[in-house]
Amino acid sequence: MTDAPARYAGIRAYETLLREIQDGALPPGSVLAEVEQAARLGVSRTPLREALRRLAADGLVEQASPRVTVVTRIDASDIQALFAVRRALEETAARLAAQAEDRSVFDALATDFAATQTSGGPASDADAYYALIARFDAELDAAVDNDYLTSALRTVRTHLVRVRRLARDNPGRLAASVAEHRLIARAIAGGDVDLAAHATHVHLHNALTSILDSLSDTPEETT
């Protein structure tokens, strides 16, 4: 059995590597050699291997050799596959949330999205926008109250962070996304199951189109 210090070291190594993969410090194709990474992170090779196993389970790294792991690459087909799963999960989540007994928090979120639109919003503060999206996601998970669905959504969101980092900033798209989220939140708050699902579908279609258009201008990042 793994002792507590080693377990915590593995968790710390996993969280550090996950953050570096998501924020682009370790871009697709980066080599994660065991000896070098263990020394860099200040852990032994056993917790490092545990961290790498978890990242492999997340689909973020893959084995290139017995001692070398690489960060997985992302191409257009990967993103399309990710969004196919995301669409199924998020449309279902929106439907379930619109049937929840207490939906008042989504009314408040819709107001916050509307305020973001009129304040200059995501074009001037993308970090604040993504923080608002994170709040929306958290409330959606709570309203759904289905551990299997929310676990699957968390996995998808882990990959979405990477996709957003690879895509070019697009203030116009972020502003449109705010309006789309406002409509989704309003539909959920109003208990309109079909509108909530349809608005989610439209939002994801627009998001995928924008991301693919962005990546097509920077092919070196996705090969």
Side-chain angles (χ1 to χ4, degrees):
M1 180 180 296
T2 304
D3 60 23
R7 184 168 66 253
Y8 293 141
I11 292 171
R12 187 176 71 252
Y14 168 78
E15 292 176 345
T16 299
L17 291 170
L18 174 62
R19 183 175 62 253
E20 291 176 344
I21 290 170
Q22 289 182 323
D23 68 16
L26 291 173
S30 296
V31 175
L32 305 178
E34 278 191 11
V35 174
E36 287 81 356
Q37 291 301 317
R40 183 176 73 87
L41 297 173
V43 300
S44 68
R45 290 165 70 178
T46 296
L48 176 69
R49 287 171 184 166
E50 177 58 29
L52 293 176
R53 278 194 292 269
R54 290 184 63 185
L55 291 168
D58 291 338
L60 296 174
V61 302
E62 59 188 2
Q63 230 30 64
S65 75
R67 291 289 181 268
V68 176
T69 302
V70 298
V71 178
T72 53
R73 298 181 183 276
I74 303 175
D75 60 22
S77 63
D78 294 322
I79 294 171
Q80 289 169 327
L82 178 66
F83 268 76
V85 175
R86 185 187 182 193
R87 184 177 299 116
L89 295 173
E90 291 198 5
E91 287 183 27
T92 298
R95 286 182 176 277
L96 292 173
Q99 299 173 61
E101 189 170 329
D102 182 4
R103 303 183 302 275
S104 58
V105 67
F106 291 98
D107 203 24
L109 281 166
T111 299
D112 288 342
F113 281 120
T116 300
Q117 280 183 273
T118 59
S119 67
S124 60
D125 192 354
D127 287 340
Y129 161 73
Y130 286 123
L132 183 54
I133 295 298
R135 280 178 50 207
F136 174 85
D137 288 344
E139 295 297 347
L140 188 68
D141 290 351
V144 167
D145 192 25
N146 182 315
D147 290 343
Y148 297 105
L149 180 56
T150 55
S151 177
L153 278 169
R154 280 194 296 272
T155 298
V156 168
R157 290 167 187 155
T158 295
H159 290 273
L160 283 173
V161 175
R162 297 183 72 202
V163 171
R164 287 171 181 155
R165 292 290 182 182
L166 290 174
R168 289 182 296 105
D169 287 338
N170 184 338
R173 173 59 208 148
L174 291 179
S177 180
V178 169
E180 291 160 8
H181 275 90
R182 179 182 57 80
L183 178 57
I184 296 168
R186 286 281 185 225
I188 293 174
D192 192 328
V193 174
D194 291 334
L195 179 58
H198 179 68
T200 300
H201 180 92
V202 170
H203 165 64
L204 295 179
H205 170 78
N206 292 341
L208 176 59
T209 299
S210 177
I211 288 169
L212 293 178
D213 286 347
S214 174
L215 294 181
S216 69
D217 294 333
T218 53
E220 70 278 1
E221 294 186 356
T222 59
T223 56

